[in-house]
Amino acid sequence: MLNRRAVLTGVASLAVTLSACGKGDGGSSASDSEGGVVGIAMPTRSSERWLLDGKSIVEGLEDRKYKAQLVYGDDDPKAQVAQIGKLITAGVEALIIAAIDNKSLNGVLKKAAAAGIPVIAYDRLILGTKDVDYYVSFDNEMVGRMQAHYIITKLGLEDGEKGPFNIELFAGSPDDNNTRYFFDGSMALLQPYLDNGQLVVPSGQTDFEKVTTLRWDGPTAQKRMDGILADTYGAKQVDAVLSPYDGISRGVLAALFSDGYDTAAKPLPIVTGQDAELPSVKSIIAGDQAQTVYKDVRQLAYAAVLMVEEILNDRVVSVDDSQTYKNGVKPVPAVLLQPTSIDKSNYVTLINDGYFTEKELK
Ligand code: GAL
């Protein structure tokens, strides 16, 4: 797909003045530019991946002679709305937004629409508004399926005999549209084993509302896991933890370590993850976290940049899917990339792709 899109980029790109802001607070202005400024609103600096997303989008835009203005909302939905408002006032030509709270942007996106600014929802779909034009992301349901499939395979559940195994379930932030896709993707595979008793959730916490983790926060997940271990485990041991994101996985692992896991008698459970963040990949190599889902966000950034270029040049925008990603008001045309499951056996993929150097993983 990227090749097909790459061909399209052979057509002239906008010649505009160059310059890009680094991590901004939303306070800097784009008014001194001659046009061609693209506003980028990212959700948080607390996670490595979003730093790489922001940096990659800026670089991609600069390579194509656009200006970029990058802001981070630091997990505060109101701050993000204010930042986007400022980008609109500053006269950006397009907006790339990874929402903190998928439903908080309706008002500000109305202003974007009134100003004729196209909006790309980046990785996280923006809900409840017609004022979002495109979506770029990964196949989010597949991410959840990969995490569940890993657990199923490693526990050997498919033979129908093994078990019962104890599993605990974690989901992402309830205000992130992806959370449902990840969780539903996982549960589609895990549910039959919960139904036939090969998997058991000793905490009893299986409802979506019970298992979400506000803002994907690791310490919040750690606290929940601490509570589960203290309240329901006693002599029992955890065999697997479904975790949707590396930051959550590291919180879960911290709780397990402080409960005495990681010995011959009390081995660590299978803990999944997502994003191939450096500390988690190191943890996988060390044999602690079991798995992560690698999403090459440099490619996601590239897809967003190509989309901006197509939109601003009035070209036909290449999408993969025009129906699946409904935001409550309309289906949002989407470009979807494929994720890759990573564990100790294939982490070298990350080195081969240049995502990390061998030295960084030491
Ligand atoms: C999701 C994203 C994941 C992970 C998570 C926490 O929206 O799809 O890859 O980054 O946010 O930041």
Side-chain angles (χ1 to χ4, degrees), residues 53-338:
D53 287 86
K55 179 172 168 272
S56 306
I57 299 170
V58 169
E59 283 172 5
L61 288 168
E62 286 187 338
D63 282 350
R64 293 181 148 67
K65 311 287 183 250
Y66 291 92
K67 283 183 174 183
Q69 185 149 355
L70 169 65
V71 292
Y72 279 91
D74 293 335
D75 278 324
D76 176 349
K78 280 202 184 116
Q80 186 173 54
V81 169
Q83 288 178 330
I84 294 169
K86 279 187 185 170
L87 291 169
I88 294 168
T89 310
V92 295
E93 288 200 353
L95 280 165
I96 298 173
I97 301 172
I100 296 167
D101 174 346
N102 61 38
K103 289 195 188 100
S104 68
L105 300 175
N106 299 9
V108 79
L109 292 190
K110 247 187 209 145
K111 287 186 198 154
I117 300 169
V119 173
I120 297 173
Y122 184 86
D123 201 37
R124 300 173 171 177
L125 187 58
I126 299 167
L127 302 186
T129 172
K130 64 174 174 35
D131 301 322
V132 54
D133 299 288
Y134 294 98
Y135 179 44
V136 288
S137 189
F138 285 82
D139 181 338
N140 292 307
E141 204 193 319
M142 181 56 78
V143 170
R145 294 177 89 89
M146 282 176 166
Q147 291 157 343
H149 180 73
Y150 193 83
I151 291 173
I152 291 165
T153 312
K154 289 292 160 182
L155 292 179
L157 298 179
E158 272 157 331
D159 70 1
E161 304 277 318
K162 297 205 179 75
F165 292 105
N166 296 325
I167 185 169
E168 294 298 335
L169 310 173
F170 284 73
S173 196
D175 52 8
D176 182 337
N177 186 57
N178 291 348
T179 295
R180 265 276 174 207
Y181 282 86
F182 300 148
F183 190 65
D184 289 352
S186 292
M187 293 313 281
L189 298 195
L190 294 178
Q191 195 61 51
Y193 299 106
L194 290 165
D195 292 343
N196 77 5
Q198 283 182 274
L199 286 177
V200 176
V201 182
S203 71
Q205 298 175 16
T206 52
D207 291 347
F208 182 72
E209 292 69 29
K210 278 260 158 59
V211 302
T212 51
T213 314
L214 189 63
R215 302 282 129 72
W216 304 88
D217 183 52
T220 302
Q222 182 173 349
K223 229 186 247 167
R224 186 171 155 247
M225 192 68 198
D226 281 338
I228 289 174
L229 292 169
D231 295 347
T232 43
Y233 271 80
K236 282 189 229 131
Q237 286 188 25
V238 193
D239 299 303
V241 179
L242 174 73
S243 164
Y245 157 63
D246 287 349
I248 291 177
S249 317
R250 294 195 294 275
V252 165
L253 281 161
L256 290 162
F257 282 124
S258 55
D259 197 57
Y261 279 81
D262 199 24
T263 64
K266 208 174 171 184
L268 284 168
I270 297 157
V271 179
T272 60
Q274 175 178 199
D275 281 355
E277 291 197 325
L278 183 59
S280 286
V281 177
K282 284 183 168 173
S283 173
I284 288 172
I285 295 168
D288 297 341
Q289 187 172 323
Q291 179 260 10
T292 188
V293 176
Y294 163 48
K295 305 192 302 191
D296 188 341
V297 298
R298 298 167 307 178
Q299 292 208 21
L300 187 64
Y302 184 62
V305 168
L306 294 187
M307 203 173 242
V308 163
E309 193 171 51
E310 288 171 356
I311 297 167
L312 294 184
N313 286 289
D314 293 327
R315 294 207 295 267
V316 174
V317 176
S318 325
V319 294
D320 299 324
D321 183 325
S322 299
Q323 284 312 316
T324 308
Y325 282 84
K326 301 188 169 65
N327 80 340
V329 174
K330 64 176 193 183
V332 183
V335 165
L336 298 171
L337 309 183
Q338 283 309 309

Side-chain angles (χ1 to χ4, degrees), residues 2-11 302:
L2 285 177
N3 286 344
R4 167 166 57 88
R5 297 166 59 76
V7 171
L8 286 171
T9 60
V11 189
Y302 184 62

Side-chain angles (χ1 to χ4, degrees), residues 19-42:
S19 96
C21 304
K23 285 177 225 164
D25 63 1
S28 53
S29 157
S31 58
D32 56 348
S33 73
E34 292 171 21
V37 181
V38 178
I40 307 153
M42 291 286 117

